[in-house]
């Protein structure tokens, strides 16, 4: 079964882990650029501060959202996941069909380094470096926080969702520390498409339940919806390629 | 006074972020999802509770296809 309230939520873990992996690879590019162009200390200060803010956000919003009554929460959370998932799938379809350039970490790295070097060396504390790495990690991390809170709250499993996101972040940090460069060989578009399929699946299921849909076979329908959405995305990629 | 200004900018910042996050450069997806959910709510409340689910699923494919086609048309014009 894809996910039930009693079974271990594999789909939730996979969705949050992959989303965090994609977003943290993007954040790592900015942090590495700041470290190389300005100072590693400032880059790590900004990163630590952003991760702290994101943790506080989950700690505040997570418990608060679980007090919202179930039906309105299903509609709101489902609609957010549906919109968010469709945005991810749209980008994935456009990239897979060649209508949008693949995310190029090398180019982002070069641009960031050039901008930071053009700003000149600071006197005293390097605020630009701290702010740049903070913004990079915080903004990329916000999308993950929204997924952790929405997916986790609906299943009352914010801790598992958080652990999944933290695992991905630690994995990217370890690999980033070992290779000391941005990660350009991650199959980002495939991972984005997978996350998009899972978000849309949960979005359709929960928002549907929220507006009065009774799904036949209950949670088992999640599997069928995921399969149909994945097949639909494949068809749309083929159509867009023509 | 400073606290009120800080609170105001925090609220404005959150609003901007939510707008970018949910609407951004794809307002058609946001609007279409809202319309689809409203339609499914109407269908489901007229005792077609499982039909509504299939309508929502089909609407999802139509929304994605429409948004992709719109993006392709826009990129071809440029």
């Amino acid at each position: 079964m894809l996910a039930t309230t009693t079974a271990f939520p594999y789909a939730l873990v996979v969705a949050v882990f992959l989303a965090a992996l994609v977003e943290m690879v993007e954040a790592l590019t900015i942090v590495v650029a700041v470290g190389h162009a300005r100072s590693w200390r400032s880059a790590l200060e900004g990163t630590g501060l952003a991760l702290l803010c994101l943790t506080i956000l989950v700690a505040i919003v997570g418990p608060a959202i679980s007090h919202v009554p179930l039906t309105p929460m299903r509609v709101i959370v489902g609609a957010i996941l549906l919109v968010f998932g469709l945005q991810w799938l749209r980008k994935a379809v456009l990239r897979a069909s060649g209508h949008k350039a693949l995310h190029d970490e090398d180019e982002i790295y070069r641009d960031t380094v050039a901008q930071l070097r053009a700003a000149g060396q600071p006197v005293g504390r390097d605020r630009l470096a701290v702010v740049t790495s903070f913004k990079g990690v915080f903004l990329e991390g916000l999308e993950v926080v929204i997924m952790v809170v929405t997916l986790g709250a609906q299943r009352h499993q914010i801790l598992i969702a958080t652990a999944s996101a933290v695992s991905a972040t630690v994995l990217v940090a370890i690999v980033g520390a070992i290779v000391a460069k941005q990660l350009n060989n991650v199959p980002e578009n495939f991972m984005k498409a997978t996350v998009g399929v899972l978000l849309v699946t949960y979005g359709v299921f929960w928002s549907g339940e929220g507006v009065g849909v009774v799904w036949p076979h209950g949670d088992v329908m999640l599997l069928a919806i995921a399969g149909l959405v994945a097949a639909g995305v494949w068809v749309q990629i083929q159509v867009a390629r023509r | 006074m400073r606290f009120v200004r800080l609170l105001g900018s925090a609220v404005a910042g959150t609003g901007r972020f939510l707008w970018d996050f949910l609407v951004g450069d794809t307002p058609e997806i946001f609007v279409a999802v809202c319309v689809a959910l409203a339609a499914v709510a109407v269908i489901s409340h007229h005792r077609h509770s499982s039909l509504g689910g299939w309508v929502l699923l089909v609407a999802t494919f139509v929304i994605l296809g429409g948004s992709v086609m719109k993006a392709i048309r826009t990129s071809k014009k440029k």
Side-chain angles (χ1 to χ4, degrees):
Chain A
M1 195 178 290
L2 192 66
T4 67
T5 42
T6 49
F8 187 78
Y10 293 104
L12 179 150
V13 169
V14 170
V16 173
F17 186 84
L18 288 181
L21 208 61
V22 169
E23 298 300 337
M24 285 307 121
V25 163
E26 291 177 18
L28 178 72
T29 302
I30 295 164
V31 173
V32 171
V34 172
H36 277 300
R38 311 284 293 198
S39 96
W40 280 104
R41 188 182 163 175
S42 303
L44 293 177
E45 279 175 4
T47 304
L49 197 59
L51 291 176
L52 180 69
C53 290
L54 293 170
T55 308
I56 292 170
L57 212 55
V58 172
I60 293 170
V61 181
I65 202 169
S66 51
H67 291 295
V68 178
L70 192 60
T71 303
M73 183 163 82
R74 277 185 175 157
V75 178
I76 294 165
V77 165
I80 289 173
L81 291 175
L82 195 47
V83 169
F84 199 23
L86 283 170
Q87 288 172 348
W88 277 49
L89 284 182
R90 175 182 175 273
K91 274 188 199 160
V93 169
L94 288 171
R95 283 183 175 140
S97 60
H99 290 285
K100 189 176 170 77
L102 290 172
H103 206 266
D104 188 347
E105 300 299 339
D106 282 337
E107 196 183 330
I108 294 167
Y109 175 82
R110 280 194 300 273
D111 287 350
T112 311
V113 167
Q115 280 172 19
L116 289 168
R117 288 200 171 137
Q121 282 303 312
V123 181
R125 195 179 188 82
D126 194 347
R127 286 180 63 185
L128 177 65
V130 175
V131 169
T132 306
S133 65
F134 174 85
K135 273 177 74 178
V137 176
F138 187 75
L139 292 178
E140 301 295 349
L142 261 184
E143 292 195 22
V144 181
V145 165
I146 288 173
M147 277 187 226
V148 165
V149 169
T150 51
L151 285 170
Q154 186 63 29
R155 294 281 174 191
H156 301 290
Q157 278 155 341
I158 285 190
L159 276 181
I160 292 178
T162 307
S164 184
V166 169
S167 311
T169 307
V170 170
L171 179 68
V172 171
I174 290 171
V175 175
I178 291 169
V179 300
K181 68 192 279 285
Q182 72 279 15
L183 308 174
N184 207 20
N185 295 325
V186 174
E188 194 182 317
N189 205 43
F190 175 73
M191 293 199 300
K192 272 204 156 176
T194 307
V195 175
V197 167
L198 292 172
L199 292 180
V200 167
T201 299
Y202 277 120
V204 166
F205 189 83
W206 285 334
S207 62
E209 277 192 337
V211 295
V213 171
V214 178
W215 294 104
H217 315 297
D219 282 4
V220 179
M221 267 307 284
L222 279 165
L223 266 182
I225 296 171
L228 287 170
V229 173
V233 169
W234 183 82
V235 169
Q236 300 220 356
I237 291 171
Q238 305 310 313
V239 171
R241 276 181 180 160
R242 286 180 192 163
Chain B
M1 197 63 196
R2 194 173 164 215
F3 174 76
V4 174
R5 244 183 290 142
L6 261 174
L7 191 70
S9 68
V11 170
T14 308
R16 261 198 310 274
F17 168 74
L18 285 175
W19 177 267
D20 285 345
F21 181 74
L22 288 172
V23 182
D25 55 354
T26 54
E28 72 279 4
I29 290 180
F30 180 76
V31 173
V33 165
C34 293
V35 171
L37 283 176
V40 171
V42 171
I43 293 168
S44 301
H45 282 93
H46 285 82
R47 296 187 182 185
H48 299 287
S49 50
S50 58
L51 175 69
W54 296 109
V55 171
L56 185 57
L57 204 49
V58 171
T60 302
F61 294 133
V62 172
I63 294 166
L64 179 60
S67 185
V68 166
M69 288 307 149
K70 181 178 167 253
I72 292 172
R73 270 199 305 273
T74 310
S75 72
K76 277 181 180 168
K77 273 182 193 169
K78 286 177 183 171

